[in-house]
Amino acid sequence: QVQLVQSGGGLVQAGGSLRLSCAASGRTFSGYAMGWFRQAPEKEREFVAAISWRGRSVSYADSVKGRFTISRDNAKSTVYLQMNSLKPEDTAVYYCHADGALGTVVQAVGDYWGQGTQVTVSS
């Protein structure tokens, strides 16, 4: 079992920045690939970014490439999502997710999810 607790988020103006954190407890954090997803009102959940367990491989949705950066600190059992140049269309509830491999975390089929955190970008 892995427990994921998110922090960060909030309200920011367009062009601003926010950082989300997701702290893991339970089983060995470094054994899991991690990802971020988001869900806007009345929309499907969508992939945002993912990182391999060592942090050597990352993947981003086209909509956030060049603006968002995913990183992890295995010593702190935490994954981060740095969001810069935020746009109103980035407004959503963001979720972190853990799974065994980068390929599977992107598919969002695993059981371990954070509680979600609201990000609101005003125009």
Side-chain angles (χ1 to χ4, degrees):
Q1 289 285 344
V2 175
Q3 292 78 42
L4 303 175
V5 178
Q6 298 178 220
S7 60
L11 174 64
V12 66
Q13 289 188 331
S17 298
L18 285 172
R19 189 176 81 157
L20 305 182
S21 300
C22 175
S25 61
R27 298 188 68 178
T28 305
F29 175 74
S30 60
Y32 289 87
M34 299 294 298
W36 289 95
F37 291 77
R38 66 187 182 187
Q39 187 165 19
E42 301 182 357
K43 290 189 176 182
E44 296 287 322
R45 180 180 58 194
E46 65 174 356
F47 168 74
V48 175
I51 188 167
S52 62
W53 70 274
R54 288 183 178 179
R56 293 179 180 177
S57 297
V58 294
S59 178
Y60 295 97
D62 288 342
S63 59
V64 307
K65 279 182 182 176
R67 300 188 299 121
F68 290 11
T69 302
I70 188 171
S71 62
R72 66 189 295 161
D73 185 338
N74 286 346
K76 296 182 178 179
S77 298
T78 302
V79 63
Y80 305 97
L81 184 68
Q82 178 66 44
M83 304 182 293
N84 299 329
S85 302
L86 282 161
K87 304 176 181 180
E89 51 264 43
D90 294 318
T91 296
V93 177
Y94 284 70
Y95 298 90
C96 63
H97 176 49
D99 209 331
L102 189 63
T104 50
V105 81
V106 170
Q107 296 175 41
V109 297
D111 295 330
Y112 305 127
W113 291 88
Q115 80 277 18
T117 186
Q118 178 70 46
V119 171
T120 303
V121 184
S122 63
S123 57

